[in-house]
Amino acid sequence: EPEVTQTPSHQVTQMGQEVILRCVPISNHLYFYWYRQILGQKVEFLVSFYNNEISEKSEIFDDQFSVERPDGSNFTLKIRSTKLEDSAMYFCASPVGPSDTQYFGPGTRLTVL
Amino acid sequence: AQTVTQSQPEMSVQEAETVTLSCTYDTSESDYYLFWYKQPPSRQMILVIRQEAYKQQNATENRFSVNFQKAAKSFSLKISDSQLGDAAMYFCAYRTPGGANSKLTFGKGITLSVRP
């Protein structure tokens, strides 16, 4: 299976602090996605990113969130001022192959205290 | 908007037996893709199987197969010869054929336990 990597695996932060989650999608891919999964709930789409621009975003992806491609291979999801309800697993995913099947990274577990 | 429904929150199967996980979806599109993802306790999302809506033949991957009923908008996953390692949460997902620029819409998931 194609490899997508994410760091850190677990991040603990205080409410109101900024966090940056990192993803390295499958090499040379221009598209990637961020999804969120609150514990025990379904996986929800946050944002898709193509060629250095946001392609689509959900209503969850408000002004507290931003995505960037700081160095050409890594992608970041930034939450400016975390809230308790931001506690969740955050996944990035890369589409691969003729069906553009999305392969997921291992996720970052974010805990906001 | 497309929706994906997994109405069974939990299921249990005896090791070596067969189990079927149900999924229905709602869409006005005629062309789309359907997926099953497995999420073990590690919480990684692992692709199990993929089905293209334009294909009449049901997809199979080793012990995993689907029953795709396009008219009924039903997409069930059958796991044969269940193994302890199959215990996980399983998510059904839908995607339009927008290529790489098309997000996944997930169901709520079903927790599968495997009894030894």
Side-chain angles (χ1 to χ4, degrees), chain A residues 91-108:
Chain A
F91 295 99
C92 69
S94 268
V96 175
S99 299
D100 289 308
T101 298
Q102 291 185 26
Y103 289 89
F104 284 72
T108 292

Side-chain angles (χ1 to χ4, degrees), chain B residues 21-100:
Chain B
L21 311 182
S22 301
C23 172
T24 59
Y25 56 94
D26 187 24
T27 182
S28 57
E29 304 284 344
S30 60
D31 194 16
Y32 46 86
Y33 295 83
L34 296 164
F35 305 85
W36 279 97
Y37 284 88
K38 171 185 178 181
Q39 188 178 46
S42 67
R43 300 196 72 181
Q44 171 118 28
M45 295 291 287
I46 301 167
L47 176 71
V48 175
I49 200 164
R50 170 186 61 236
Q51 174 78 44
E52 293 89 341
Y54 63 85
K55 290 186 177 178
Q56 292 185 334
Q57 186 173 8
N58 288 323
T60 61
E61 287 287 343
N62 301 313
R63 298 184 293 109
F64 299 88
S65 61
V66 299
N67 183 5
F68 173 49
Q69 301 289 329
K70 191 172 184 179
K73 296 180 182 174
S74 169
F75 181 60
S76 60
L77 174 69
K78 185 171 84 171
I79 305 174
S80 304
D81 185 26
S82 296
Q83 300 175 0
L84 296 177
D86 294 333
M89 199 148 184
Y90 287 83
F91 290 93
C92 177
Y94 165 99
R95 205 204 78 206
T96 56

